[in-house]
Each structure stands twice: as structure tokens, then as C-alpha cells.
Amino acid sequence: MTTAPVADRTLGAARISWIQPALRFALLFGLVALVVYFAVASPLFLTAGNLRNILLSSSVLLILAVPQAVLVIMGYVDLSVGSIIGLTGVAMGVQIVDAGWHPLAAMALSLVLGTLAGLVNGVLVAYTRLSPIIVTLGTLQLYRGITEGVRQNPPAGFGDLVGTLGRGALFGIPFAVWISLLVFGLGALFLYRSAAGRHVYAIGVNADAAFLSGVRVRRIPLAFYALIGLAAGIGGILLASRLDSAPPTTLGDGMELNVLTAVLLGGVAFTGGRGTMLGVLLGVLFLGVLSNGMTLTNVPYWAQSITTGAALVIAAGLDELSQRRGTVRRLAARRAA
């Protein structure tokens, strides 16, 4: 009498077993489909120059997505990174153009400023237990307001040294891409090869249990808020150097949503406890290819925004479906045991 229910449970588990890998690799399938579609739709898409543009435009996004992914895995988020980019880029420009500082000193100031801005977020979130979304939404406005108050007109003309950083290349690959690959490698090493990397997942799964196990549940998030501020400082320098200008109102504007979209598309759970660096890299490339391909095929900007937003909603839906299937599979396994 128990044969049929056991068979049903086994069949149910079998049905679920192919869904999980399919969801896990959905982004990779989607990325390949995008490349094939845009290669057919535009003869310029697969040219060396355009592929270089995709990597260059994705580099700052990857630099920011790595620390953001670690924060989200821990159950935190930073929505102020776009404004920190604007703040640090304008600070560098003002010091070079108005104050006559050496470019290296101005860039160092921007990195320190970005780190301090991140630390402010980290202290407010990790030590006062305020909501990360509310705190960083507030500092998103705060940092942008400071930026616009410092300088209304964009400083421009930063010299050859800064221009080389933004538009130069090594072995044909832009410096910004090399920097993003370095950040990605360091992030992967931290997450997979260090004890603190394992603690990141523990904090995301259950912060209270992690605390009782001796994990530093406040210092690690604080450190990564500082690191994402530093990453935003690097992003501000690279974007300003590429443009040879630092417009206070638009530099980095909207970058916070692009970063979060790339992280969630990459499979990092917004509820924390789950995510990989490889998934984040795929999420960044997916957005880069999507944006570049739509521009080449003359898709209007408003339609690009709709497409990007739809991609985020679909990714969130697949993530929710994956979590529900995982729960069903675990329950089925317990009943069968």
C-alpha cells in the first residue's frame, strides 16, 4: 500500500531535479541567446572594437558589483554608490582644476573620501541596526546634494595622466578592465578561500546563530561598506577620467540600480545567504551585452529601461521559484526518509 506514494514522491523529486540546474544556468543560456541575436541583428556587434566597448562599459559595474554582492549575501545592501561615484569624481576634478593639486594626490583624496562615505553607511547600519535600505537611500540624497553644493558646473580637463587611466590600455585591454578583473579575483579569493568568506554566508543565513558561533557580525559588514565606498571612489575616478569631465548631477546617476540588478540577475538572493562571484560576473556581462546590443539596434532609451527592469523582475521571479522548489524538494526528501 505504500508503494504508490513512495513512487509519487520519487517522481516528484525527479521532476524537480532538472528544474534546479535549469534555473541555475538560465542566465548563461540567456547571455548566449543575446549574443547570437545581436550578432545576427547588427554586423557591428561581434567586431573587436565593439567587444572592447562592452568590456569597458561593464568594468565599473563589475568593480561595484563585487562588494555589493558580498553585502547582499550578508543580508545588507548599499543604494548610495551612484552618489558616492559623483562625489568622488567631482572631488578629484575640483582639486585638479580649481586647487591645482597633482592628479595622484587628487585621486588619493577621492579614494579616501569614498571609503569614509562607505564607513558612514556601515556605522549607521551595522552598529545602530537601522535599515540598510533606509540609511543608504538617505545618504544617496545626502551625498548627491553635497556634490552639487560643492560645484554646480562640471570641472573638466584633467590632463594626460588622468586621461591615460580612463582611456589607455595594456596589451589592447583598457586599464579599467584590468582593474575590474583584479577586483573580481580578490572578491572570489575572499569568498571561497578565506574563513571570513564562509562567515559572510553564515551571517546571511542566520546572523544571531553566527554571532553565537563567534562570527564578527558587525565588523565584516562594516568593512564591506567601507570597501564598496572605496570601489565607488575607483569608479568615480575611472568615469571622470574617461569623460575628462565630472558633471555633478549625472556622474554615477542611476548606477546603484544597475549594480543591484547585475547582482540579483547573477543569482545572489536578496534575502541573503546565497550567491556566487561567477554568477555576478555573468550578471554584469548580461547587462553590458543587453545595453550595447540595444544601442546598436537603435532601441529607444525608454525601451531599454523597460527591458532592463523586466529582466530584473524575471530574475527575481526565477529566484523565488528556485527557493520554493528547493523547499519542496527538502520536504519531499524528509517524507521519503
Side-chain angles (χ1 to χ4, degrees):
M1 294 182 64
T2 58
T3 304
V6 170
D8 289 345
R9 290 195 293 267
T10 304
L11 182 59
R15 288 196 189 107
I16 293 167
S17 64
W18 68 266
I19 292 175
Q20 292 282 353
L23 291 176
R24 197 173 300 130
F25 291 104
L27 183 61
L28 179 59
F29 296 151
L31 179 59
V32 172
L34 275 183
V35 170
V36 172
Y37 173 75
F38 287 128
V40 173
S42 172
L44 298 176
F45 182 76
L46 284 183
T47 60
N50 189 57
L51 295 177
R52 183 179 184 274
N53 286 336
I54 292 174
L55 292 177
L56 183 59
S57 63
S58 302
S59 57
V60 172
L61 191 59
L62 182 59
I63 290 170
L64 292 164
V66 168
Q68 182 76 286
V70 177
L71 277 177
V72 175
I73 291 173
M74 286 189 286
Y76 295 88
V77 69
D78 190 340
L79 299 177
S80 68
V81 290
S83 293
I84 299 178
I85 286 176
L87 179 67
T88 53
V90 169
M92 180 190 73
V94 166
Q95 294 306 316
I96 294 175
V97 176
D98 294 351
W101 282 28
H102 190 280
L104 291 177
M107 285 190 275
L109 172 70
S110 292
L111 296 180
V112 172
L113 193 58
T115 305
L116 289 175
L119 271 175
V120 170
N121 288 336
V123 169
L124 290 175
V125 170
Y127 284 89
T128 67
R129 305 218 171 197
L130 294 173
S131 164
I133 294 178
I134 293 174
V135 167
T136 55
L137 271 178
T139 52
L140 168 78
Q141 296 293 332
L142 175 68
Y143 296 149
R144 183 63 67 180
I146 293 174
T147 304
E148 295 179 11
V150 168
R151 177 77 179 250
Q152 287 74 47
N153 299 319
F158 305 141
D160 294 337
L161 179 61
V162 177
T164 299
L165 182 63
R167 300 184 292 275
L170 180 65
F171 304 123
I173 299 176
F175 288 125
V177 176
W178 286 113
I179 295 172
S180 68
L181 292 176
L182 175 63
V183 172
F184 174 78
L186 292 174
L189 282 175
F190 168 81
L191 209 53
Y192 304 134
R193 297 294 182 184
S194 71
R198 292 190 292 275
H199 293 169
V200 165
Y201 288 100
I203 294 171
V205 171
N206 190 324
D208 292 333
F211 174 75
L212 294 174
S213 301
V215 176
R216 296 174 175 178
V217 297
R218 293 181 179 177
R219 290 186 184 180
I220 297 177
L222 176 66
F224 271 87
Y225 272 107
L227 285 176
I228 198 170
L230 175 63
I234 296 172
I237 292 171
L238 291 175
L239 289 179
S241 62
R242 193 185 309 166
L243 297 171
D244 201 24
S245 174
T249 57
T250 59
L251 189 68
D253 186 38
M255 184 64 81
E256 59 279 348
L257 291 182
N258 288 338
V259 172
L260 189 58
T261 301
V263 168
L264 298 183
L265 273 174
V268 177
F270 195 65
T271 51
R274 186 164 53 84
T276 66
M277 279 298 156
L278 180 59
V280 172
L281 178 62
L282 289 175
V284 169
L285 290 176
F286 185 91
L287 283 186
V289 168
L290 183 65
S291 175
N292 179 271
M294 288 193 294
T295 301
L296 283 181
T297 51
N298 298 317
V299 176
Y301 181 74
W302 59 266
Q304 294 187 28
S305 297
I306 291 175
T307 305
T308 304
L312 177 59
V313 172
I314 291 171
L318 290 175
D319 176 67
E320 180 65 23
L321 178 61
S322 175
Q323 291 191 50
R324 289 182 182 179
R325 293 289 184 181
T327 302
V328 170
R329 185 172 60 177
R330 286 192 293 273
L331 290 175
R334 288 177 185 173
R335 289 173 182 171

